[in-house]
Amino acid sequence: MATGGSDVSTRHTSMSLLSKTKRVSTENKSIYDIALSVFKIHKVEISDAINTTFPFFEYLRDHGFITNEIYKESLQSSKWHGVQEVIYDVLTELEKTFDLSLLRALFSKVIMKKYRDLSNIYKIFKTGPWSRPLGTSSNAKIFTPCLELQGMS
């Protein structure tokens, strides 16, 4: 009998954990969707704030966001077109494989130091709805830690 009760308790706990995992997964998807939407909305402002190719393209290439081929094409293209136009095109390509790690790269210490106009856009991401705790049992902020910069808080 005691074993049966234990099985029921274990099943209940497992089902509870599964339910919580699905809820967190859904909340994370919502965070992703909102972050992607904000990224799309502010793509022009982001590209306008990045007025030189170095170190932006190098950072993206070195961290695996763009290939060496895209890196070289973008540098060539920036010789004939405005840098911001080429940056916009690269951001449009990155949008297709968008991940929150892209925001971490975009707002990294080295990039923020070089392109100070990104600070206003960073504030939008930092204070969005994803920076609040998710669910009633979570006290952790999900999105903000991925963007926190040393000295930028």
Side-chain angles (χ1 to χ4, degrees), residues 50-63 66 71 87 105 108-115:
I50 301 171
N51 53 10
T52 62
T53 60
F54 182 83
F56 186 68
F57 287 152
E58 288 74 9
Y59 196 93
L60 293 177
R61 180 195 57 192
D62 294 349
H63 287 86
I66 61 173
Y71 168 76
I87 299 288
S108 68
K109 187 175 181 179
V110 68
I111 297 299
M112 293 291 288
K113 182 178 177 185
K114 176 69 176 182
Y115 308 110

Side-chain angles (χ1 to χ4, degrees), residues 67-129:
T67 64
N68 203 42
E69 182 180 340
I70 291 173
Y71 168 76
K72 288 177 183 177
E73 289 173 3
S74 298
L75 285 180
Q76 272 307 111
S77 190
S78 68
K79 292 178 183 177
W80 295 293
H81 305 286
V83 170
Q84 283 94 348
E85 290 176 52
V86 178
I87 299 288
Y88 183 88
D89 291 343
V90 169
L91 293 175
T92 300
E93 281 302 309
L94 292 173
E95 183 181 308
K96 296 174 185 174
T97 58
F98 182 82
D99 186 89
L100 294 178
S101 63
L102 174 61
L103 298 178
R104 191 177 313 127
L106 183 61
F107 299 117
S108 68
K109 187 175 181 179
V110 68
I111 297 299
M112 293 291 288
K113 182 178 177 185
K114 176 69 176 182
Y115 308 110
R116 299 209 182 264
D117 289 346
L118 283 175
S119 63
N120 289 331
I121 299 160
Y122 169 74
K123 289 175 190 172
I124 293 167
F125 279 100
K126 188 173 178 178
T127 60

Side-chain angles (χ1 to χ4, degrees), residues 5 22 37 89 96 138 152:
K22 285 182 180 178
S37 293
D89 291 343
K96 296 174 185 174
S138 173
M152 288 296 296

